Amino acid sequence: MLSEFITYYRPHMRLFWLDFGCAVLSGLLELAFPLAVTFFIDDLLPRGDWSLTLAAAGGLLALYALNTALTAIVIYWGHKLGINIETEMRARAFDHLTRLSWRWYDRARTGKLVARVTRDLEEIGEVAHHGPEDAFIAVMTFLGAFALMFWVQPTLALIVALIVPVMLVLIIFYGGRMTQTWQAIYGRVGDFNVRLEEALGGVRVVQAFGNESHENHLFAGDNARYRQAKLDAYRIMAASSAIHYMGLRFVQVVVMVIGAGFVLNGSLTTGGFVGFLLLVGVFYRPLDKIAAVIETYPRGIAGFRRYLELLATDPEIADAATATEAPALRGDIRFDNIRFAYAPDRTIIDGIDLTIRAGETVAFVGPSGAGKTSLLALLPRFYEPTEGRITIDGIALQDMTLNSLRRQIGLVSQDVYLFGGTLRDNIAYGRLGATEAEILHAAAQAQLGPMIDSLPDGLDTIVGERGVMLSGGQKQRVAIARAFLKNPPILILDEATSALDTATEREIQAALDALSIGRTTLIIAHRLGTIRHADRIVVMDQGRIVESGTDAELRDAGGVYARLAS
């Protein structure tokens, strides 16, 4: 895990050495201050030379000013280093999340994912800034301060050093407990975010059923568990800080008593005594720093471990090593003995053999749960078949890169997702970089023209989160406009007109018929009146094809389709 963490410093080595060098120099100056005080008391004061004393004071003030500048550099540029690493990690995590399969998201909780790319990575950024410099400076300060104390008074230095192992053991013990506690806190944050997202995202359902008090009760439970986890962490932190504080003050008192004896017997000067007391503070400052960082390090370690776990999640569907860019596809599709299951005991598609010619319009009908949507979700490789092979124009799906495959398949589904930006942005999502004229043309083809003309801001109208400002029919027409703009050779329409009124549906259906010309169109529909024009209708039931033919042929056959049409 440490070697993996170090790799994130490589693009930022100049920034790292600036931060690290300034921090080390600042630490060395901290060691020089007690010696300067010793010199001031033992050498300058007895001389009674005010000019020399003021010159020395000015020099000391200059050192303080230099150390102030070094500290400011460490704070700003050091945090910039941490932020850069945090930003890179967040980008990498987001890129990885966008590549994970639908099956993985079927089991994931969005609130927990949000916590991983926000709170977790913020803590990692702090560790990236403080980690290397704190570790090195702690060791350097320990050794440097001890060497100087030993030079001033060896016996007193050895007495001070005796308590160090005890303090280190306590810090390591409490640090381990803090790590475990912060891991628990991150789990609670995920649960907390999930509850928050579900309650606020579904607030209309909550209010419609009058279940505000129920959601408040559930939220209160998660809130209380999150509170308790944080209290546990701060209880451990309080115990660690208290022990450290008392240990340092105990040592200082011991040094004052024994050091006073050395001063009285003449083996230690007054300046040396004062300087030694200051060196004790410097000597134990690394422990103080470690105790303070106990709050930060465990959070960063826990966050980085969760981050690595996320990156270690291999995308179930990815480009094969031999995959190449798909050529311009015609749309000859072949499903060869396809089986698919979401779980071993939950078979959805059971032995589908189907050939669809380029330019053909094929409709899929059947009762809910028959496997229609699942079958067509295999075509853009949103899921992988459990068995069998799918080809387009004779090329296996796995032999094409995902992007080049999906760029040539358009999808309009019943469950329309709109982003919270403008109408223009949502339509242009079908083909990024489309011109204004192309967007307006696609909108007009999807019967959105009158609505856009009626809006004060036109295409710049904000649609709200998930398109909440639009009706169901308007959202579906935006999705259809995306498909018009994309203009793919293969088109999947999954209940694409289900949310439209009868008059608008007829208008959209005419547009979809025009869009279908010259391309392979696969339609899932429950309203059989919208698919009578299809070249072929495939009837599915319990994951199998039970009938296939034209509307007239299937009505005359008197089978499943005839019963659905009656």
Side-chain angles (χ1 to χ4, degrees):
M1 188 169 68
L2 179 61
S3 62
E4 179 75 17
F5 190 72
I6 290 173
T7 61
Y8 287 91
Y9 284 94
R10 288 174 185 164
H12 314 287
M13 291 309 295
R14 288 186 180 180
L15 201 55
F16 169 78
W17 286 117
L18 174 65
D19 171 48
F20 188 78
C22 289
V24 170
L25 185 56
S26 176
L28 291 173
L29 289 178
E30 285 291 325
L31 291 173
F33 292 140
L35 296 182
V37 171
T38 300
F39 173 73
F40 194 89
I41 295 175
D42 285 345
D43 293 332
L44 292 183
L45 288 183
R47 294 183 185 183
D49 188 339
W50 267 106
S51 61
L52 187 59
T53 300
L54 291 175
L60 188 60
L61 191 61
L63 287 179
Y64 278 122
L66 175 60
N67 204 28
T68 300
L70 292 172
T71 302
I73 291 173
V74 169
I75 291 174
Y76 177 74
W77 294 102
H79 278 99
K80 183 177 181 179
L81 171 66
I83 291 170
N84 286 352
I85 291 175
E86 171 192 336
T87 302
E88 181 183 340
M89 287 183 173
R90 184 171 291 116
R92 191 175 296 188
F94 183 79
D95 179 70
H96 187 72
L97 284 169
T98 60
R99 298 176 188 277
L100 294 176
S101 67
W102 284 20
R103 188 192 297 268
W104 187 84
Y105 278 102
D106 290 341
R107 301 185 297 268
R109 306 297 293 273
T110 304
K112 294 190 179 229
L113 297 180
V114 169
R116 288 195 177 190
V117 296
T118 52
R119 178 72 181 271
D120 286 17
L121 295 183
E122 288 174 3
E123 303 299 345
I124 294 172
E126 283 297 303
V127 172
H129 166 210
H130 293 290
E133 67 188 46
D134 283 353
F136 181 83
I137 292 172
V139 174
M140 182 192 73
T141 306
F142 261 133
L143 298 178
F146 180 75
L148 291 175
M149 286 191 299
F150 195 84
W151 176 67
V152 173
Q153 172 43 252
T155 304
L156 205 54
L158 292 174
I159 292 173
V160 171
L162 286 176
I163 199 170
V164 171
V166 177
M167 299 294 290
L168 285 176
V169 168
L170 289 172
I171 286 174
I172 291 171
F173 170 73
Y174 282 106
R177 291 188 60 187
M178 283 294 294
T179 300
Q180 296 173 357
T181 305
W182 280 110
Q183 285 177 332
I185 286 175
Y186 280 140
R188 296 299 182 198
V189 168
D191 294 338
F192 188 84
N193 285 353
V194 167
R195 176 63 56 198
L196 196 62
E197 180 205 0
E198 290 184 347
L200 298 183
V203 68
R204 290 168 177 78
V205 176
V206 172
Q207 293 178 355
F209 284 88
N211 283 339
E212 291 90 344
S213 59
H214 172 70
E215 291 298 327
N216 286 337
H217 175 72
L218 295 177
F219 182 83
D222 285 326
N223 204 15
R225 286 185 286 272
Y226 180 56
R227 170 184 177 275
Q228 188 58 50
K230 293 197 74 172
L231 285 177
D232 291 341
Y234 287 114
R235 184 174 63 252
I236 296 170
M237 189 188 306
S240 174
S241 298
I243 292 172
H244 173 75
Y245 177 85
M246 189 60 204
L248 174 59
R249 298 301 176 261
F250 174 76
V251 171
Q252 287 178 328
V253 171
V254 170
V255 168
M256 287 177 62
V257 173
I258 300 177
F262 286 133
V263 171
L264 292 175
N265 66 23
S267 61
L268 183 65
T269 65
T270 302
F273 176 56
V274 175
F276 196 97
L277 280 173
L278 293 176
L279 282 171
V280 169
V282 174
F283 181 68
Y284 278 99
R285 192 164 298 156
L287 292 178
D288 197 23
K289 183 183 290 289
I290 292 171
V293 171
I294 277 179
E295 180 185 356
T296 304
Y297 277 17
R299 293 195 303 228
I301 292 168
F304 190 63
R305 182 175 288 117
R306 285 159 58 92
Y307 169 77
L308 291 182
E309 289 172 358
L310 175 62
L311 293 190
T313 305
D314 292 326
E316 181 183 337
I317 300 172
D319 289 336
T322 57
T324 59
E325 287 284 311
L329 299 176
R330 299 187 314 276
D332 282 311
I333 301 170
R334 170 67 185 163
F335 294 92
D336 187 8
N337 192 30
I338 296 299
R339 286 181 168 78
F340 173 70
Y342 289 106
D345 59 344
R346 190 184 168 200
T347 299
I348 305 298
I349 306 297
D350 190 10
I352 294 289
D353 282 294
L354 180 65
T355 300
I356 300 170
R357 298 182 302 276
E360 189 177 11
T361 297
V362 178
F364 294 80
V365 301
S368 297
K372 307 180 294 295
T373 298
S374 297
L375 177 65
L376 297 192
L378 300 177
L379 192 60
R381 293 188 67 196
F382 296 142
Y383 297 94
E384 293 281 44
T386 308
E387 294 180 25
R389 184 170 180 262
I390 304 174
T391 62
I392 301 178
D393 297 348
I395 307 171
L397 298 187
Q398 289 77 9
D399 293 336
M400 296 179 269
T401 60
L402 282 171
N403 280 340
S404 64
L405 169 66
R406 291 173 179 172
R407 277 199 305 266
Q408 301 191 64
I409 299 176
L411 173 64
V412 180
S413 64
Q414 179 179 7
D415 184 16
V416 177
Y417 186 94
L418 297 186
F419 299 96
T422 64
L423 196 57
R424 179 198 314 276
D425 294 337
N426 276 282
I427 296 174
Y429 208 78
R431 179 158 53 87
L432 300 178
T435 65
E436 177 94 356
E438 289 170 333
I439 293 172
L440 287 172
H441 181 63
Q445 289 177 300
Q447 304 298 317
L448 276 172
M451 184 194 80
I452 294 173
D453 293 338
S454 68
L455 297 171
D457 295 324
L459 285 173
D460 295 318
T461 300
I462 300 295
V463 302
E465 186 177 5
R466 296 178 181 269
V468 69
M469 304 298 291
L470 303 180
S471 69
Q474 289 170 336
K475 287 193 289 186
Q476 205 143 30
R477 276 180 279 177
V478 171
I480 292 170
R482 283 178 184 167
F484 275 110
L485 190 60
K486 187 173 186 180
N487 196 28
I490 299 171
L491 184 65
I492 299 174
L493 305 176
D494 186 355
E495 295 288 343
T497 60
S498 62
L500 305 178
D501 58 81
T502 304
T504 305
E505 183 180 35
R506 283 196 298 267
E507 296 172 351
I508 293 291
Q509 194 62 54
L512 290 176
D513 291 344
L515 180 63
S516 300
I517 295 174
R519 74 188 75 240
T520 304
T521 305
L522 311 178
I523 305 172
I524 299 172
H526 285 105
R527 295 183 186 178
L528 302 187
T530 63
I531 58 166
R532 289 173 182 165
H533 67 288
D535 299 316
R536 190 162 28 129
I537 298 172
V538 174
V539 184
M540 295 184 63
D541 191 17
Q542 296 184 356
R544 295 176 178 272
I545 295 176
V546 294
E547 288 181 317
S548 179
T550 64
D551 177 74
E553 291 170 347
L554 293 175
R555 287 177 184 273
D556 292 341
V560 176
Y561 183 82
R563 290 197 298 273
L564 291 172
S566 61

